[in-house]
Amino acid sequence: MSKLLARIAGYLSNRTLVGVDKVGNRYFTRTEEIDGIMKEKRCVIFKGEGDPTSISVEWICWLNGQRKRAPTPEEQMELEARRELVKQNVALLKQEEEERRAKESSCHKAKSTGKTGGPDLKSFIHQFPTEGNEEESDAVDRGRGEEEAGAQKAKEPLSEHSEPTGSGSTFKPGTWQPPT
């Protein structure tokens, strides 16, 4: 019981005010003997409700022992100004990003075929030279469906099989047909 009373008395008498933050929270140190060793304990007394989210990063680091010295008022003001500058830069970047997206979407809508989602495969296919039957490539160009292009291909006579030819950049693979 006496240890409890001594501890309570220690909370009230041994503490030293180290600083106050912009919210009004007060930060204290007190020395306490633990297992025969004097240790410094750090604590905060909140102004109003005990809201731990109101503590700034600098004071959290000090409370956890990551900083040896408590933040000074000048340092706090400097870091707060830096945070405000970062917030302004973020707002500016968001605005520029929205303008860029609006510009891209207006350009994209002009090119769009009315369908949403997925890439534009027709423009992708037109990049590559088509090999084979002219009628087949015309069918794809005119937008006839895959079924009609497949029917055109089915009408072509299939060669039995061919061996691979060429080497390096001129290599053309052969076709393999299962034995019947």
Side-chain angles (χ1 to χ4, degrees), residues 161-166 171-176:
H161 64 355
S162 64
E163 296 295 320
T165 59
F171 176 75
K172 295 195 188 241
T175 57
W176 178 82

Side-chain angles (χ1 to χ4, degrees), residues 88-102:
Q88 290 173 358
N89 288 341
V90 167
L92 181 64
L93 287 173
K94 281 183 180 180
Q95 182 182 4
E96 289 175 0
E97 180 69 17
E98 287 174 5
E99 290 172 359
R100 185 186 60 79
R101 284 185 182 170

Side-chain angles (χ1 to χ4, degrees), residues 97-178:
E97 180 69 17
E98 287 174 5
E99 290 172 359
R100 185 186 60 79
R101 284 185 182 170
K103 189 176 183 180
E104 284 180 1
S105 67
S106 66
C107 292
H108 183 58
K109 285 181 183 177
K111 295 178 185 177
S112 177
T113 59
K115 295 181 180 178
T116 57
D120 183 15
L121 294 178
K122 287 183 184 178
S123 65
F124 179 72
I125 291 172
H126 287 292
Q127 297 179 49
F128 302 103
T130 56
E131 293 182 16
N133 188 328
E134 286 294 323
E135 292 176 24
E136 183 180 330
S137 64
D138 289 342
V140 172
D141 287 343
R142 281 186 255 125
R144 297 187 331 188
E146 283 185 38
E147 298 167 343
E148 291 181 43
Q152 279 292 94
K153 198 171 189 178
K155 290 179 186 176
E156 292 179 4
L158 294 173
S159 64
E160 286 295 318
H161 64 355
S162 64
E163 296 295 320
T165 59
S167 65
S169 63
T170 61
F171 176 75
K172 295 195 188 241
T175 57
W176 178 82
Q177 294 291 327

